[in-house]
Amino acid sequence: MQFSIKKLLLTIAMASFLAASMSVTHAAPPKTYTENEFLDTFSGKTKKVVTDKLGAPFKKEMSVKPSGANTVMLKAGADESKSKPVKVEMWYYKNIVKYDPKRTYKETEITFVNDKAMNIAFFNNR
């Protein structure tokens, strides 16, 4: 009796593992875009639109104002007290933009300025 229970439990465990591994291997691959499709789809869009279509990025970075920037800006005639605050954030995605039918860029960077996609760059050298 004990031998058959062990055999039954082992069979159930193996079947569960097999079912779980099959569901993972059949997951839909992420959508890829051509360069122009990507630019047309995401240029000027909000973070919410980008997240809804692409999901969460694999990495996020916040821009930091360099030391001494205020002095340089004052010399150039800019008055920071009269300007609105600017929040710059970069989001990074992997392998979502094609540059030919078989290959994708390793990284795509979307730069948001005050919640709008203002710059998009494609990289293979990172």
Side-chain angles (χ1 to χ4, degrees):
M1 176 91 166
Q2 192 173 9
F3 175 73
S4 61
I5 291 175
K6 285 183 180 179
K7 194 173 186 180
L8 177 66
L9 289 175
L10 182 63
T11 304
I12 290 172
M14 289 176 67
S16 299
F17 177 73
L18 182 61
S21 65
M22 289 179 86
S23 65
V24 169
T25 58
H26 292 298
K31 178 175 174 30
T32 57
Y33 299 83
T34 65
E35 293 167 327
N36 286 334
E37 286 173 340
F38 194 86
L39 294 170
D40 292 342
T41 303
F42 297 107
S43 292
K45 300 299 190 276
T46 63
K47 291 178 186 177
K48 181 178 179 351
V49 171
V50 173
T51 305
D52 289 346
K53 291 191 179 202
L54 297 178
F58 81 91
K59 179 173 75 170
K60 293 181 182 181
E61 291 182 358
M62 294 294 295
S63 177
V64 179
K65 185 187 263 187
S67 62
N70 289 339
T71 306
V72 173
M73 295 302 289
L74 285 172
K75 287 180 183 177
D79 186 3
E80 189 174 329
S81 64
K82 294 181 182 176
S83 64
K84 294 180 182 178
V86 177
K87 180 182 173 189
V88 179
E89 187 174 359
M90 288 76 69
W91 287 11
Y92 299 90
Y93 290 90
K94 288 188 178 209
N95 302 314
I96 59 171
V97 178
K98 291 182 178 185
Y99 60 91
D100 70 25
K102 294 183 180 181
R103 296 180 288 188
T104 61
Y105 288 105
K106 290 179 184 175
E107 281 188 11
T108 300
E109 176 188 272
I110 304 173
T111 303
F112 293 95
V113 178
N114 293 340
D115 195 42
K116 298 241 185 200
M118 299 303 283
N119 189 52
I120 297 173
F122 311 112
F123 299 101
N124 272 332
N125 59 352
R126 291 187 176 194

